[in-house]
Amino acid sequence: MAGLIDIYEVSGNEKALQVATGMADWVHARLSQLPKETLIQMWNTYIAGEFGGMNETMAHLYRITHTEHYLKTAQLFDNIDMFFGDAQHTHGLAKNVDTFRGLHANQHIPQIVGSIELYQVSDLPEYYRVADNFWYKAVNDYMYSIGGVAGARNPANAEVFTAEPATLYENGFSEGGQNETCATYNMLKLTSNLFLFDQRAEYMDYYERGLYNHILASVAENTPANTYHVPLRPGAIKQFGNPNMTGFTCCNGTAIESGTKLQHSIYFKSKDDQALYVNLFIPSTLEWTERQITVEQKTSFPKQDETELTIKGNGRFDLHVRVPGWATKGFYVAINGKAQKYRHSRVLI
């Protein structure tokens, strides 16, 4: 469904939209008949409740068509227990309560991604709070050094939220300690979506960590093979699977898109085209067509700790360059070789 909607948005193919809306109408006809208690039970059933990005896709379809029951269908995919604690919305992530410890990570991260899309189309702040609170808890309480958030001491299921910084040895270095690749992929998607609403440097600090240490390390050199899990114990060796694309796992599916992460989120612009954000230190060329500006970035990061931006074109705009959290000894800014004074915060400079 997401692919059909993308086809329509990119090419204007009405048939693709017709198929997507037909599928969405079927989903609405089925789910709208179920009582809330049944939906809660369904979405919390491991692993049958892994509906992927259906809430995101239905909200996206509502944003395009403005058909009201698509928004209602997106909300039928709310994981009420995790989002709101219960049917009365008494606690949950919307009120900054950790409701995901022990849950299957990649069953639930896409649901959080969907909550951001729901916030965008509904303006209901509780959906934003769900995503924002989840991100902070996941990154601060569950993250491993490579940016992964899914790992377990139980080798039978190394895909759940169990890690804590205080128990890193037990969780991350034991024989079963490992990070599921597609969970990190979805965390990066969530991170870039949150940055659209709040331009905080810590978002892109995390994005950089997960991109360089997990996603870039997940694809084999000469085949389409990829890592399902990246082991964390000392002396461990990565294993790349499905080189002939004959099988299918969740990480195979997301790995198809991982190549797009090589150019995603390096730059963002403000909605009014008055500001440019340089988030990642990656050799690249940006064509800012609305301003007729070209930005070329040269760097060999992480082998060096500097980057050079060459800007071509005319006009005034604000340039925000991320000051990374790892720059603990300070940083400097020079224009045409001349040191500059600058305004600095952990949000932007």
Side-chain angles (χ1 to χ4, degrees):
M1 287 184 70
L4 289 165
I5 295 170
D6 286 344
I7 289 171
Y8 170 74
E9 284 203 299
V10 171
S11 69
N13 188 312
E14 293 288 344
K15 186 67 174 179
L17 181 63
Q18 180 183 350
V19 174
T21 54
M23 295 169 71
D25 291 339
W26 179 86
V27 172
H28 176 263
R30 301 274 294 192
L31 286 186
S32 61
Q33 302 302 311
L34 299 178
K36 185 172 291 186
E37 293 74 18
T38 302
L39 291 171
I40 291 174
Q41 181 182 7
M42 286 167 55
W43 305 149
N44 285 285
T45 300
Y46 176 81
I47 190 172
E50 187 170 5
F51 57 71
M54 279 300 296
N55 55 347
E56 178 188 13
T57 298
M58 295 301 302
H60 189 182
L61 191 59
Y62 167 71
R63 176 154 54 89
I64 292 173
T65 65
H66 304 290
T67 302
E68 193 67 28
H69 71 253
Y70 295 152
L71 174 58
K72 294 179 180 177
T73 306
Q75 293 176 303
L76 290 173
F77 286 98
D78 284 355
N79 190 323
I80 292 174
D81 277 6
M82 184 173 68
F83 284 15
F84 310 117
D86 51 37
Q88 290 71 44
H89 293 204
T90 60
H91 59 95
L93 281 167
K95 296 191 176 180
N96 206 24
V97 176
D98 184 344
T99 49
F100 58 92
R101 178 170 297 280
L103 298 182
H104 178 238
N106 209 49
Q107 178 174 338
H108 294 86
I109 301 173
Q111 298 173 7
I112 303 296
V113 174
S115 73
I116 280 288
E117 185 72 17
L118 274 162
Y119 169 68
Q120 184 170 350
V121 299
S122 70
D123 286 329
L124 293 173
E126 59 186 4
Y127 284 115
Y128 182 85
R129 290 196 294 268
V130 165
D132 186 47
N133 291 334
F134 171 84
W135 187 91
Y136 277 91
K137 289 185 179 300
V139 170
N140 291 303
D141 294 341
Y142 295 88
M143 184 187 73
Y144 293 104
S145 60
I146 67 171
V149 296
R153 63 179 69 89
N154 178 8
N157 187 351
E159 301 180 0
V160 298
F161 293 107
T162 59
E164 292 182 3
T167 59
L168 180 60
Y169 176 81
E170 186 176 7
N171 285 297
F173 289 163
S174 65
E175 186 173 353
Q178 51 192 310
N179 279 176
E180 187 182 11
T181 300
C182 53
T184 299
Y185 166 92
N186 281 311
M187 281 297 295
L188 296 190
K189 186 174 182 180
L190 172 63
T191 302
S192 60
N193 287 350
L194 283 167
F195 187 87
L196 293 174
F197 297 96
D198 187 5
Q199 292 75 51
R200 300 185 65 85
E202 59 191 301
Y203 285 141
M204 287 302 152
D205 281 351
Y206 171 78
Y207 196 100
E208 179 182 76
R209 179 190 293 262
L211 175 66
Y212 275 86
N213 293 289
H214 199 166
I215 298 303
L216 293 184
S218 69
V219 182
E221 185 177 2
N222 299 314
T223 75
N226 62 87
T227 60
Y228 188 176
H229 295 272
V230 173
L232 302 176
R233 64 187 183 275
I237 299 174
K238 289 186 298 181
Q239 294 182 343
F240 295 96
N242 200 18
N244 299 315
M245 301 297 283
T246 55
F248 192 84
T249 66
C250 54
C251 293
N252 257 127
T254 50
I256 293 173
E257 298 184 23
S258 286
T260 66
K261 295 295 187 197
L262 302 177
Q263 60 184 11
H264 196 281
S265 298
I266 304 174
Y267 308 98
F268 277 91
K269 66 181 180 106
S270 62
K271 188 175 182 179
D272 60 4
D273 289 315
Q274 296 301 309
L276 180 69
Y277 295 83
V278 180
N279 299 321
L280 300 173
F281 309 121
I282 295 175
S284 54
T285 300
L286 170 69
E287 297 289 346
W288 191 359
T289 54
E290 293 84 357
R291 296 296 301 260
Q292 295 185 321
I293 296 289
T294 299
V295 179
E296 182 180 1
Q297 183 173 184
K298 293 181 179 180
T299 181
S300 61
F301 175 81
K303 294 181 180 179
Q304 68 175 145
D305 59 355
E306 62 183 45
T307 190
E308 178 182 297
L309 301 173
T310 301
I311 302 174
K312 299 178 181 178
N314 298 307
R316 295 181 61 87
F317 58 90
D318 294 329
L319 180 64
H320 304 294
V321 181
R322 177 174 63 98
V323 177
W326 46 260
T328 56
K329 295 182 179 180
F331 60 94
Y332 68 93
V333 176
I335 298 179
N336 296 330
K338 184 178 180 181
Q340 301 291 311
K341 294 181 179 180
Y342 45 79
R343 182 167 54 88
H344 169 232
S345 73
R346 278 293 293 146
V347 179
L348 50 86
I349 64 169

